[in-house]
Amino acid sequence: MTSTSTDEADDTLADVETVVDETSHDMADIVADEIEDRLEALESGRPALDKLHQDQRELLTEWERDGYESRQDLLVALLRVAWLSLGRVHPNWCVRVARDNVLISCLVTSENRCRYREDPVDLDSARRHRRRLAKKYLRPACRAGYREMRADATEYVQEDNRVNLDDVSMFAMRPVLEWLMQKQELALSQFLGGFGSEDALDRWLHRFDDLTLGQAHRVEADLDWRIELERTAKNVLLEDSGRRPEERRREDMAARYVVPALSLAPSLALEHAQELREESDENRLREFDMT
């Protein structure tokens, strides 16, 4: 065989090997995707636990991949972290994350990030830091919450008694947790938006005890009096003009007092929350099917 023929054969063999290698990678990706789809489809028979795990995964994906539009959205997300970990994140961690300008520039990914730092962390580095935060803090907290829920999650063994996760709308299939979580999110939104009158602020402060299940004192025992004495703080809360300085001060107060206090409630609420199965629309209609 001539040298030219040998070279051509070598080139052909290299091309074949490349195709085989690429095909192998493609097949491996397909198999991996199929396994992932099958894992997603399999449910444990404990829908409250599966629902919590699903919501945790969605939160982690949002945190790591997307980030948040603003610090207000980040504060709402931190409250969500507290719920999905069932209170296993320390309140002081929430304070630090929501008040540190470097961390905020990593977690807020829109053009709003320049509000908190003139020279924000570049987006690629920011994503790496979000992933590191998730690995060090969020995932361990979510695992701890998962273990806590596992001890009290009902298992549905019979096939005709199984619960489809698509039919689960309540947080961990517990109405009292869903109710409290929604009230907390609304109250946080109201605080961030400011109050139209001192009476409205007083009503909110009175409701704060209910929203924290009486645990607000662990963060600030005299929040009412502190706001009364700090005239600037009171004026900021009663100012709803939408001006950025007032918004930022309310965000600071929410990060320091409101979110940490609210985050103490989920673990307490879980102790007495009862699981409730939701009937799907199909099952409800079947009850009235006379054919």
PDB file of all heavy atoms in Angstrom, residues 8-30:
ATOM      1  N   GLU A   8      -4.981   8.156   3.350  1.00  0.00           N
ATOM      2  CA  GLU A   8      -6.422   8.213   3.108  1.00  0.00           C
ATOM      3  C   GLU A   8      -7.163   7.254   4.012  1.00  0.00           C
ATOM      4  O   GLU A   8      -8.239   7.569   4.539  1.00  0.00           O
ATOM      5  CB  GLU A   8      -6.708   7.886   1.637  1.00  0.00           C
ATOM      6  CG  GLU A   8      -6.250   8.972   0.671  1.00  0.00           C
ATOM      7  CD  GLU A   8      -6.475   8.566  -0.776  1.00  0.00           C
ATOM      8  OE1 GLU A   8      -6.820   7.378  -0.999  1.00  0.00           O
ATOM      9  OE2 GLU A   8      -6.325   9.415  -1.668  1.00  0.00           O
ATOM     10  N   ALA A   9      -6.594   6.084   4.224  1.00  0.00           N
ATOM     11  CA  ALA A   9      -7.225   5.099   5.101  1.00  0.00           C
ATOM     12  C   ALA A   9      -7.267   5.609   6.533  1.00  0.00           C
ATOM     13  O   ALA A   9      -8.272   5.448   7.245  1.00  0.00           O
ATOM     14  CB  ALA A   9      -6.463   3.772   5.042  1.00  0.00           C
ATOM     15  N   ASP A  10      -6.149   6.230   6.938  1.00  0.00           N
ATOM     16  CA  ASP A  10      -6.103   6.785   8.296  1.00  0.00           C
ATOM     17  C   ASP A  10      -7.146   7.875   8.479  1.00  0.00           C
ATOM     18  O   ASP A  10      -7.818   7.961   9.508  1.00  0.00           O
ATOM     19  CB  ASP A  10      -4.708   7.349   8.591  1.00  0.00           C
ATOM     20  CG  ASP A  10      -3.664   6.249   8.747  1.00  0.00           C
ATOM     21  OD1 ASP A  10      -4.088   5.091   8.984  1.00  0.00           O
ATOM     22  OD2 ASP A  10      -2.462   6.556   8.645  1.00  0.00           O
ATOM     23  N   ASP A  11      -7.286   8.725   7.437  1.00  0.00           N
ATOM     24  CA  ASP A  11      -8.274   9.801   7.513  1.00  0.00           C
ATOM     25  C   ASP A  11      -9.683   9.235   7.598  1.00  0.00           C
ATOM     26  O   ASP A  11     -10.529   9.728   8.353  1.00  0.00           O
ATOM     27  CB  ASP A  11      -8.163  10.719   6.294  1.00  0.00           C
ATOM     28  CG  ASP A  11      -6.872  11.537   6.324  1.00  0.00           C
ATOM     29  OD1 ASP A  11      -6.275  11.654   7.419  1.00  0.00           O
ATOM     30  OD2 ASP A  11      -6.471  12.050   5.245  1.00  0.00           O
ATOM     31  N   THR A  12      -9.946   8.201   6.769  1.00  0.00           N
ATOM     32  CA  THR A  12     -11.269   7.580   6.773  1.00  0.00           C
ATOM     33  C   THR A  12     -11.567   6.962   8.133  1.00  0.00           C
ATOM     34  O   THR A  12     -12.674   7.113   8.685  1.00  0.00           O
ATOM     35  CB  THR A  12     -11.366   6.496   5.688  1.00  0.00           C
ATOM     36  OG1 THR A  12     -11.111   7.080   4.414  1.00  0.00           O
ATOM     37  CG2 THR A  12     -12.748   5.844   5.701  1.00  0.00           C
ATOM     38  N   LEU A  13     -10.575   6.265   8.691  1.00  0.00           N
ATOM     39  CA  LEU A  13     -10.753   5.640   9.999  1.00  0.00           C
ATOM     40  C   LEU A  13     -11.011   6.693  11.070  1.00  0.00           C
ATOM     41  O   LEU A  13     -11.856   6.517  11.949  1.00  0.00           O
ATOM     42  CB  LEU A  13      -9.511   4.821  10.349  1.00  0.00           C
ATOM     43  CG  LEU A  13      -9.550   4.072  11.696  1.00  0.00           C
ATOM     44  CD1 LEU A  13     -10.739   3.108  11.723  1.00  0.00           C
ATOM     45  CD2 LEU A  13      -8.242   3.335  11.938  1.00  0.00           C
ATOM     46  N   ALA A  14     -10.279   7.810  10.976  1.00  0.00           N
ATOM     47  CA  ALA A  14     -10.460   8.892  11.953  1.00  0.00           C
ATOM     48  C   ALA A  14     -11.875   9.464  11.853  1.00  0.00           C
ATOM     49  O   ALA A  14     -12.516   9.762  12.860  1.00  0.00           O
ATOM     50  CB  ALA A  14      -9.423   9.988  11.731  1.00  0.00           C
ATOM     51  N   ASP A  15     -12.346   9.612  10.574  1.00  0.00           N
ATOM     52  CA  ASP A  15     -13.705  10.125  10.386  1.00  0.00           C
ATOM     53  C   ASP A  15     -14.731   9.183  10.985  1.00  0.00           C
ATOM     54  O   ASP A  15     -15.701   9.607  11.618  1.00  0.00           O
ATOM     55  CB  ASP A  15     -13.991  10.326   8.892  1.00  0.00           C
ATOM     56  CG  ASP A  15     -13.182  11.481   8.305  1.00  0.00           C
ATOM     57  OD1 ASP A  15     -12.709  12.318   9.113  1.00  0.00           O
ATOM     58  OD2 ASP A  15     -13.033  11.523   7.075  1.00  0.00           O
ATOM     59  N   VAL A  16     -14.540   7.874  10.755  1.00  0.00           N
ATOM     60  CA  VAL A  16     -15.466   6.875  11.295  1.00  0.00           C
ATOM     61  C   VAL A  16     -15.468   6.916  12.815  1.00  0.00           C
ATOM     62  O   VAL A  16     -16.514   6.880  13.469  1.00  0.00           O
ATOM     63  CB  VAL A  16     -15.103   5.464  10.781  1.00  0.00           C
ATOM     64  CG1 VAL A  16     -15.918   4.415  11.535  1.00  0.00           C
ATOM     65  CG2 VAL A  16     -15.342   5.372   9.290  1.00  0.00           C
ATOM     66  N   GLU A  17     -14.263   7.004  13.387  1.00  0.00           N
ATOM     67  CA  GLU A  17     -14.165   7.047  14.845  1.00  0.00           C
ATOM     68  C   GLU A  17     -14.853   8.291  15.403  1.00  0.00           C
ATOM     69  O   GLU A  17     -15.496   8.251  16.451  1.00  0.00           O
ATOM     70  CB  GLU A  17     -12.690   7.022  15.266  1.00  0.00           C
ATOM     71  CG  GLU A  17     -12.026   5.670  15.025  1.00  0.00           C
ATOM     72  CD  GLU A  17     -10.548   5.711  15.357  1.00  0.00           C
ATOM     73  OE1 GLU A  17     -10.005   6.830  15.472  1.00  0.00           O
ATOM     74  OE2 GLU A  17      -9.944   4.632  15.508  1.00  0.00           O
ATOM     75  N   THR A  18     -14.697   9.397  14.673  1.00  0.00           N
ATOM     76  CA  THR A  18     -15.352  10.634  15.119  1.00  0.00           C
ATOM     77  C   THR A  18     -16.856  10.479  15.112  1.00  0.00           C
ATOM     78  O   THR A  18     -17.558  10.869  16.049  1.00  0.00           O
ATOM     79  CB  THR A  18     -14.941  11.813  14.217  1.00  0.00           C
ATOM     80  OG1 THR A  18     -13.533  11.995  14.300  1.00  0.00           O
ATOM     81  CG2 THR A  18     -15.653  13.092  14.656  1.00  0.00           C
ATOM     82  N   VAL A  19     -17.390   9.889  14.002  1.00  0.00           N
ATOM     83  CA  VAL A  19     -18.832   9.673  13.899  1.00  0.00           C
ATOM     84  C   VAL A  19     -19.324   8.749  15.003  1.00  0.00           C
ATOM     85  O   VAL A  19     -20.348   8.994  15.645  1.00  0.00           O
ATOM     86  CB  VAL A  19     -19.190   9.093  12.507  1.00  0.00           C
ATOM     87  CG1 VAL A  19     -20.650   8.668  12.485  1.00  0.00           C
ATOM     88  CG2 VAL A  19     -18.914  10.120  11.425  1.00  0.00           C
ATOM     89  N   VAL A  20     -18.566   7.665  15.228  1.00  0.00           N
ATOM     90  CA  VAL A  20     -18.949   6.716  16.278  1.00  0.00           C
ATOM     91  C   VAL A  20     -18.948   7.395  17.638  1.00  0.00           C
ATOM     92  O   VAL A  20     -19.844   7.212  18.452  1.00  0.00           O
ATOM     93  CB  VAL A  20     -17.990   5.501  16.272  1.00  0.00           C
ATOM     94  CG1 VAL A  20     -18.230   4.642  17.519  1.00  0.00           C
ATOM     95  CG2 VAL A  20     -18.190   4.681  15.008  1.00  0.00           C
ATOM     96  N   ASP A  21     -17.888   8.224  17.859  1.00  0.00           N
ATOM     97  CA  ASP A  21     -17.790   8.913  19.148  1.00  0.00           C
ATOM     98  C   ASP A  21     -18.952   9.879  19.341  1.00  0.00           C
ATOM     99  O   ASP A  21     -19.565   9.943  20.410  1.00  0.00           O
ATOM    100  CB  ASP A  21     -16.456   9.665  19.199  1.00  0.00           C
ATOM    101  CG  ASP A  21     -16.200  10.262  20.573  1.00  0.00           C
ATOM    102  OD1 ASP A  21     -16.293   9.519  21.566  1.00  0.00           O
ATOM    103  OD2 ASP A  21     -15.924  11.471  20.655  1.00  0.00           O
ATOM    104  N   GLU A  22     -19.280  10.648  18.283  1.00  0.00           N
ATOM    105  CA  GLU A  22     -20.393  11.589  18.372  1.00  0.00           C
ATOM    106  C   GLU A  22     -21.709  10.852  18.558  1.00  0.00           C
ATOM    107  O   GLU A  22     -22.576  11.274  19.341  1.00  0.00           O
ATOM    108  CB  GLU A  22     -20.447  12.452  17.112  1.00  0.00           C
ATOM    109  CG  GLU A  22     -19.274  13.425  16.997  1.00  0.00           C
ATOM    110  CD  GLU A  22     -19.317  14.198  15.707  1.00  0.00           C
ATOM    111  OE1 GLU A  22     -20.150  13.852  14.829  1.00  0.00           O
ATOM    112  OE2 GLU A  22     -18.526  15.175  15.556  1.00  0.00           O
ATOM    113  N   THR A  23     -21.871   9.729  17.842  1.00  0.00           N
ATOM    114  CA  THR A  23     -23.093   8.937  17.972  1.00  0.00           C
ATOM    115  C   THR A  23     -23.237   8.387  19.386  1.00  0.00           C
ATOM    116  O   THR A  23     -24.321   8.387  19.971  1.00  0.00           O
ATOM    117  CB  THR A  23     -23.101   7.784  16.959  1.00  0.00           C
ATOM    118  OG1 THR A  23     -22.972   8.314  15.639  1.00  0.00           O
ATOM    119  CG2 THR A  23     -24.391   6.990  17.060  1.00  0.00           C
ATOM    120  N   SER A  24     -22.107   7.946  19.964  1.00  0.00           N
ATOM    121  CA  SER A  24     -22.124   7.415  21.330  1.00  0.00           C
ATOM    122  C   SER A  24     -22.558   8.479  22.316  1.00  0.00           C
ATOM    123  O   SER A  24     -23.356   8.228  23.219  1.00  0.00           O
ATOM    124  CB  SER A  24     -20.736   6.882  21.703  1.00  0.00           C
ATOM    125  OG  SER A  24     -20.355   5.819  20.849  1.00  0.00           O
ATOM    126  N   HIS A  25     -22.000   9.700  22.102  1.00  0.00           N
ATOM    127  CA  HIS A  25     -22.386  10.798  22.989  1.00  0.00           C
ATOM    128  C   HIS A  25     -23.864  11.120  22.845  1.00  0.00           C
ATOM    129  O   HIS A  25     -24.566  11.360  23.837  1.00  0.00           O
ATOM    130  CB  HIS A  25     -21.549  12.039  22.686  1.00  0.00           C
ATOM    131  CG  HIS A  25     -20.162  11.983  23.260  1.00  0.00           C
ATOM    132  ND1 HIS A  25     -19.931  11.870  24.610  1.00  0.00           N
ATOM    133  CD2 HIS A  25     -18.940  12.026  22.665  1.00  0.00           C
ATOM    134  CE1 HIS A  25     -18.619  11.839  24.841  1.00  0.00           C
ATOM    135  NE2 HIS A  25     -17.994  11.929  23.665  1.00  0.00           N
ATOM    136  N   ASP A  26     -24.349  11.130  21.589  1.00  0.00           N
ATOM    137  CA  ASP A  26     -25.769  11.404  21.350  1.00  0.00           C
ATOM    138  C   ASP A  26     -26.643  10.356  22.021  1.00  0.00           C
ATOM    139  O   ASP A  26     -27.662  10.680  22.651  1.00  0.00           O
ATOM    140  CB  ASP A  26     -26.054  11.452  19.852  1.00  0.00           C
ATOM    141  CG  ASP A  26     -25.425  12.668  19.181  1.00  0.00           C
ATOM    142  OD1 ASP A  26     -25.093  13.621  19.922  1.00  0.00           O
ATOM    143  OD2 ASP A  26     -25.273  12.660  17.944  1.00  0.00           O
ATOM    144  N   MET A  27     -26.269   9.078  21.860  1.00  0.00           N
ATOM    145  CA  MET A  27     -27.051   8.004  22.473  1.00  0.00           C
ATOM    146  C   MET A  27     -27.021   8.110  23.991  1.00  0.00           C
ATOM    147  O   MET A  27     -28.031   7.893  24.665  1.00  0.00           O
ATOM    148  CB  MET A  27     -26.496   6.645  22.026  1.00  0.00           C
ATOM    149  CG  MET A  27     -26.750   6.333  20.562  1.00  0.00           C
ATOM    150  SD  MET A  27     -28.521   6.303  20.158  1.00  0.00           S
ATOM    151  CE  MET A  27     -29.053   4.905  21.176  1.00  0.00           C
ATOM    152  N   ALA A  28     -25.850   8.472  24.537  1.00  0.00           N
ATOM    153  CA  ALA A  28     -25.740   8.626  25.989  1.00  0.00           C
ATOM    154  C   ALA A  28     -26.647   9.744  26.481  1.00  0.00           C
ATOM    155  O   ALA A  28     -27.302   9.619  27.520  1.00  0.00           O
ATOM    156  CB  ALA A  28     -24.287   8.902  26.380  1.00  0.00           C
ATOM    157  N   ASP A  29     -26.691  10.839  25.697  1.00  0.00           N
ATOM    158  CA  ASP A  29     -27.571  11.946  26.079  1.00  0.00           C
ATOM    159  C   ASP A  29     -29.029  11.530  26.039  1.00  0.00           C
ATOM    160  O   ASP A  29     -29.819  11.894  26.912  1.00  0.00           O
ATOM    161  CB  ASP A  29     -27.347  13.140  25.146  1.00  0.00           C
ATOM    162  CG  ASP A  29     -25.987  13.790  25.366  1.00  0.00           C
ATOM    163  OD1 ASP A  29     -25.408  13.573  26.450  1.00  0.00           O
ATOM    164  OD2 ASP A  29     -25.514  14.499  24.452  1.00  0.00           O
ATOM    165  N   ILE A  30     -29.396  10.759  24.996  1.00  0.00           N
ATOM    166  CA  ILE A  30     -30.777  10.299  24.864  1.00  0.00           C
ATOM    167  C   ILE A  30     -31.152   9.391  26.026  1.00  0.00           C
ATOM    168  O   ILE A  30     -32.213   9.540  26.635  1.00  0.00           O
ATOM    169  CB  ILE A  30     -30.974   9.572  23.519  1.00  0.00           C
ATOM    170  CG1 ILE A  30     -30.839  10.564  22.356  1.00  0.00           C
ATOM    171  CG2 ILE A  30     -32.334   8.867  23.485  1.00  0.00           C
ATOM    172  CD1 ILE A  30     -30.831   9.899  20.997  1.00  0.00           C
TER     173      ILE A  30
END
